[in-house]
Structures are given as structure tokens and as C-alpha cells.
Amino acid sequence: MIGIQERASRSITDILILMATMNSWTLLLFLAFLITTTNASVDSKTYIVHMDNTRMAQPGNIDQGDSRQWYESILESITESSSSSSSRLIYVYETAISGFAAKLSSEQLRSLTKVDGFLSATDDELLTLHTTHSPQFLGLRNGRGLWEDVKLNSDVIVGVLDTGIWPEHVSFQDTGMPEVPTRWKGACEGGTNFSSSNCNRKLIGARAFFKGYESVVGKINEATDYRSPRDKQGHGSHTASTAAGNMVKKASLFGLAKGSATGMKYTARIAVYKVCWRLGCANSDILAAMDSATLDGVDVLSLSLGGLARPFYVDNIAIASFSAVQRGVFVSCSAGNSGPSPSTVSNGAPWIMTVAASYLDRSFPTKVKLGNGQTFEGSSLYTGKPTARLPLVYRETAGGKGAEYCMAGTLDPKLVKGKIVICNRGLNGRTDKGQQVKLVGGAAMIMLNAKNEGEETLADAHILPATSVGASAAKAIKQYLNLSDNPTASISFRGTVYGYRAPVMAAFSSRGPSLIGPEVIKPDVTAPGINILAAWTPVTAPSLLRSDNRRVLFNIISGTSMSCPHVSGLAALLKSVHKDWSPAAIKSALMTTSYTVDNRREPISDVGSGYKVATPFAFGSGHVDPERASNPGLIYDITTVDYLNHLCSLNYNSSQIALFAKTNYTCPRDAAAHPGDLNYPSFAVLFKHGTRNVSVTHQRTATNVGIPTSRYRVQVDEPDGVSVIVKPRNLVFGKLGEKRSYKVTFVALGRSSAPSDSSFGSIAWVSGKYIVRSPVAVSWN
Ligand SMILES: *[C@@H]1O[C@H](CO)[C@@H](O)[C@H](O)[C@H]1NC(C)=O
Ligand SMILES: *[C@@H]1O[C@H](CO)[C@@H](O)[C@H](O)[C@H]1NC(C)=O
Ligand SMILES: *[C@@H]1O[C@H](CO)[C@@H](O)[C@H](O)[C@H]1NC(C)=O
Ligand SMILES: *[C@@H]1O[C@H](CO)[C@@H](O)[C@H](O)[C@H]1NC(C)=O
Ligand SMILES: *[C@@H]1O[C@H](CO)[C@@H](O)[C@H](O)[C@H]1NC(C)=O
């Protein structure tokens, strides 16, 4: 029972965090997830079925090479009743996985597991969705470096799996774009309020995937969502424009964050795959989209969505990403919004770029002044005049117990009219709290963080004067309420302010160590994910409230959903200057050149730990630095076979490996390979708790992509309690493309560590201007 309890409470925490970061739409997504998982006993369900296609050509089976016929014949053989087997087949996958999605009863599933060639089946489930000043913050400059015209002219296609796109948006117009490259095999699919003429030379592909979603939730209501690639919600237009939207001058939200809103690779083509609908994103649809995108010819895939972490062999996004990476597609995913608790990171397969979220140096501060003269800084996207000094009401003085969250129906109009209402964060959407206050005649709202939410104040487009404040301000305000007979306050709104300490890790950003693959450090990097200005849909208000009639071209939102497309766009930039680089090489370049020091020359700090120094389990290798990544000196490359051998070293058996390899892959006999030998650009070292005088050795191979004749020397920062020996201590290269290997031995010195303790250091290869740095994270378990 503990397991179930824990899972339930975990899900509720996720709901709160998601609500806190995404508001009610995402809440719906997560509730739906709970509903569908608790309805698990309903007999017929959708399964994603992995098959060993090498079994297909055996006697008794039909046409070799036609997997659809094979799957249909299998479904027929296990379907006892007269119901048509082909109607049960939802998708046949070509590249993402070897297999199909189908609706099956538990009886049929049992029969299926006995079919020759069956590998595994997983329930379909609904996953959740997890500017602009960010280019400047990232060091991108007009006409220079990666943003030089010749580099920008190169054709790169970014595929975005999300809630679709608003094709008429200025960010997606094709003025001056050349012809669509002939290699592009994609399509522009019509549907509700969307036709093939909605695509252009910028938005070159748009597809919608809903068969899996509809088989779980029922037919999409075309009155409330577009059954087409058109974006009802806004999230998809936002992420697509962050990765590759046009440069749009004088963009802002109500005058906030004014400047050029631009994608990281603003000359790239966009292909949109709508997989997320009102209640979530079905796994079977995501797989079908990744399948199509890879065949269509995208160069980069951006996925700002995910579920709970699970072993790679039952993680369909991990399996489908493997196929994409195998075909040279760079896959970037959000790490999740479940921090700051440890081991919350998802999308952590080694071939995926897993992106955490951090702050820019820009904020939208407010000032709360209490009647006793105390002042606090909060944040808000409200832009009106300051409030007068007004009475403060909270809980008992606002409507009674239960009114502290300002949920619908809890506030008493007689008590709150004309006053400032205080609301706790959580349970309902942040902008909904303001809506409830406004509905009953309140004048303004202050939203308090709980202790565990710390000092993270997210800015929202409230529909009345309102601000969020951090946990320490919340405590002081509650004390003041207790001690004062006539508590009062005023709120003023300071607009856009630059120069804050940054980057700082966001509290909500999901953390390592990865429970599933602790052999590599996850997340991999951090990128801007707080208060990002990007394109929005004209059919949803910036507050996401239905009662809000405001319509905007750009909106400001936060999440690892926002940091992921930054990295997708940067990968597209690197791809344009290094056409021959593999996805692993691009990843290596972004990781080894990332930085760990903020704009005050202090180590990057972490809101989630009360501004203590952030660790690689929060930001991976560090904050991305695209200009340095374009010339990293050395790269750590990884082939598909290397990844498969890594899975061998994790003791995956042949049927588990077949899910990734999609052919017969035999692990090398001399399985001396150690999981730590994957040629990863960072080092995760695992010791048993209490280990003393024990060593492990990891091997790496660096490829010279910098100066032909060069000599690198090693610089080691030893983690606490560990001695690090690198051999050799110099790497000498005579030409470009040359590879040099080295070994790193980590010796546990017998640190008196608590279980699940960790310590951190780094190994850097230095030659002139090049510093090729890899973090080291040592865990004792
Ligand atoms: C795959 O491996 C199995 C077992 O080793 C063997 O029976 C089968 O013939 C192989 N298939 C192919 C296509 O090589
Ligand atoms: C969608 O299309 C329908 C029918 O053509 C039209 O009535 C409606 O106004 C359109 N809605 C939007 C938001 O474009
Ligand atoms: C306010 O007073 C109530 C009841 O006297 C008490 O339970 C609560 O802890 C006090 N809160 C603060 C912040 O002092
Ligand atoms: C591999 O492991 C899975 C899960 O433990 C098991 O179901 C399957 O039969 C195994 N396959 C082989 C070939 O051992
Ligand atoms: C550690 O192990 C090495 C080799 O096994 C041995 O020579 C050395 O004395 C040991 N040191 C301690 C402190 O146990």
C-alpha cells in the first residue's frame, strides 16, 4: 500500500507544481492522467506493442516486409469475436519503434504475449506539457558569430511536438525565405480551421496526431479545440517561436519585456506535430509524431512534455528518440517541473539532451508595503497603477476557513469588497485566485508561497492588481496579520527591470540524480526558462482564464517547457555551422563549453535550496553558451553501437536491447565494458556507502575539432572524499578529426558520508582559449 500511497501523493505534488507553473489547463492534463490511470480496470485499453520484426519472415507469416499485414494477421489470430481486427489497430510505427498501437482486451493482450516476435507492451497514457531577452543573455549578437548571415542562411528544420501552432502569427511568416528544400518529405494536414494552405516556406509542415488520445478520452470537441494542427492553447506557438520563430521587433506583453522576440535559429524552418490536446498528450500519438518527423526529415526534435521517469526499455520516448538519434536527429527534451526534490528528472536517456530551467537577469518586480512600513519584493505581469493603502483580509477575515486558497465560492463578498485579499499558492491556478477575488469585488491580491516553495515568485498576467511573494515575505505578512488590528498594505508594479543576479536555478526545475540511469549525470544543461516572452495564440488569454478577454501576440510564461526549445534552437544553429556533427557531438559541444559562474562571478546558485550553490544535479554541466559551443576544441562523440553497448553494460537482456536496436544486436563477448565507459561529456561515479580505498576507472575518447596541431593538459578539481587520477595528463593532436583516449581513475578515500550523499568536481582539458570541461558527480548509495 505504501507504493500506491506514495504514487498518489507524488501525483498530487505534481499537480500543485504544474498548476503553480502552468495554471489550470495543465491541471486538467494531470487530473485526466489520474482519471485514466485509475480507470485501468476497464477492459479494453490502448497498448503500444513492441515487436521483433526479424521474426516476420517466418513460414506461415505473410509478405515479407509488410509489417502492417503481419500485425493485422496477429490481431486477427487473437481476436475471438467478430469485431474487425483492423479497427483495433491505431498506429503502425515505422522508425520510432518496431511495432504498433492497438486497442486490446486483457484476454487479447495475454494471447499476444505468446505470439512469436512479441517483445513488450505498455499501456498508452497521457503525458503532460512541462524571449525576449534570452538571445542577448545567451551571448547571441546580430550579424556576429552564429548570427552571421552566411551561417543563418543554412537550411535546418526544427520539429516541435506540442499543442500545435497559430500559422498566421507574425513569428511564422515566410517573407524572404527560399524554396522548401527538396529533401523535405513532410505534409501540411488539414482539419478544423486549418488547411494545407496554412503552411508556407517558414512553417513547412504541420500534422495532428489524436487517434491515441481519442481512443482514451473520446472524440475531440471541435467547439473547444481544433481537431487540426491549429494551436488553441498557446504553448505550442510559444515553444516553436522560441526555437525558430522569426525575429519580430518591438514585441512585448502589455509593454513588458519589450524588444525583439526571436527564435534562437530564427531562419530555421518549422515543422509542427500536434500531440497535446485539452486533457494531455497520448504516448501512442507522440510515438507516431516522432515516427513521422524522422521520416519527414527534421534535423532537430523539440519535446517540452513528459511523464514520470521509468526504465528506458518501457519509456517510449526514450525508445523513439533512439531511432531519431540513430538517423542523425538531435532530440532535446524538458527535464520536468517537479523540483526541487532530488531524483525528479525525466526524459533522461543518454542520447537525449535533457534541459533544466534557470532565470534570466530580467524580472517583473512588485513592491508590497505593509501598514507597519515593512516592504517586500514580489513579481507580477500586471501593469496598472499602484493600489492605494487598503485593508488586508485572509482566511477568517475573507470568508472563513478554506478561503485561504481563494478557490471558487470560498470568499465572502461582504468581507473582501474593496480590500486586498491574501491567497496561499496551490490547489487552483494562480491567475484563477485573482479571478475569484475580482468576482466578489476584491480590489487586489497577494499570493503567498508555502515554505517549501521558497523564494521562487512566478510572474503572471493577472486580471487585477496582484503579485506573488516568496516564503519569507509570506511568513512576515502572516505575522503582521496576527499582530495588527487593522492590517493594511499597498502594491506597486515596477515593470521590467534588468540586472538581476543570473543565471539562478529555478526551484521547480527537476533534479538528478536520475533514478533510472544514475550512470550519467542528468539533467545535461540549463537554459533560460523563467518569464520567457514568445508567440501566443489569439484565442486564449495570457492568464489562460476564459473570463479574460485580453488578447496578445506574445505571452510570458515559465517552465522547463521554455528552456527546452532554447536548446533545440541552439542545436539548429550548431547544425548549420557543423553539418557533419552527430547529435552526440552537438550535445558534447553544448555541455563542455557551458558555464557555472553567474554574472556576479559567483557560482550559479539555486532558488530551490535557498540560494545555496547549485550542483550538477540541478544544472548538469552548466548554463549553455552557444558561441563557445560553436568552437569547443574537442568533442566526445558517441555512435549508436556505443549506446547499445552501454545498454549491454547495464545488463539489458536481448529482448530489451532489441527494442532499441530493431535488429538482432549481440552484446560484445568481452563484456568488460563498464557503464561509466560510455563516451559521455560528463562523469557520474557510483560508490557504495562506506566504501574505502576502492577505485573505478572510466575511459573517454576526445576528437579534435579545434586547432589541427594542439596540446591539451588536464586540470582536475577533485570531488570531496575522492582522489582523481587522469592518464595521460596531456593529449597531443596532429590534425583535425584525430582521436585521443584517456582514463580517469576515481578512488574513494573513505569519506564519512551519509547514505545518498554526493560530492562534485570537474575534469577539464585546457589548450590556449579552449577549456573542455566535464563535471564529476560522485554518489554514495
Ligand atoms: C536473430 O537472433 C536469433 C537468436 O539468436 C536467431 O534465431 C535469428 O535467426 C536472428 N535473426 C536474424 C534476422 O538474424
Ligand atoms: C473556425 O472555423 C469556423 C467555420 O469555418 C468559423 O465559424 C470559426 O469562426 C473559426 N474559428 C476560428 C477561431 O478561426
Ligand atoms: C497566528 O496566530 C495563530 C493563532 O493564534 C497561530 O496559530 C499562528 O501560528 C500565528 N501565525 C503566525 C505567522 O504568527
Ligand atoms: C528480458 O527481461 C524481461 C523482463 O525481466 C523478460 O520479460 C524477458 O523474458 C527477458 N528476455 C530474455 C530474452 O531473457
Ligand atoms: C589501498 O589499497 C592499495 C592496493 O590495494 C594498498 O596498497 C593500500 O595500502 C591501501 N590503502 C589503505 C589506506 O588501505
Side-chain angles (χ1 to χ4, degrees), residues 52 54-55 58 663-666:
D52 177 358
T54 63
R55 298 284 167 158
Q58 291 184 355
T663 58
N664 264 357
Y665 184 77
T666 317

Side-chain angles (χ1 to χ4, degrees), residues 489-503:
S490 63
I491 312 171
S492 53
F493 302 90
R494 294 172 50 206
T496 315
V497 177
Y498 296 87
Y500 279 79
R501 187 174 168 188

Side-chain angles (χ1 to χ4, degrees), residues 84-165:
S84 144
S85 62
S86 57
S87 70
R88 301 190 157 266
L89 197 57
I90 295 172
Y91 288 114
V92 172
Y93 302 110
E94 289 183 57
T95 66
I97 67 170
S98 290
F100 57 91
K103 245 187 149 71
L104 300 170
S105 68
S106 46
E107 185 67 31
Q108 290 163 338
L109 180 67
R110 251 194 307 280
S111 314
L112 181 63
T113 60
K114 301 200 183 80
V115 168
D116 186 31
F118 171 86
L119 286 172
S120 71
T122 52
D123 297 15
D124 199 5
E125 60 172 359
L126 295 186
L127 305 185
T128 55
L129 288 163
H130 283 303
T131 307
T132 184
H133 173 53
S134 47
Q136 287 87 323
F137 187 78
L138 287 162
L140 295 168
R141 298 286 180 270
N142 283 338
R144 306 218 320 242
L146 288 167
W147 274 11
E148 265 170 12
D149 288 348
V150 285
K151 293 172 186 162
L152 286 168
N153 282 346
S154 148
D155 235 317
V156 181
I157 303 164
V158 179
V160 181
L161 271 68
D162 211 297
T163 63
I165 197 156

Side-chain angles (χ1 to χ4, degrees), residues 138 191 356 432 514 725:
L138 287 162
D432 182 46
S514 159
I725 302 149

Side-chain angles (χ1 to χ4, degrees), residues 653-656:
N653 69 28
S654 57
S655 43
Q656 289 164 337

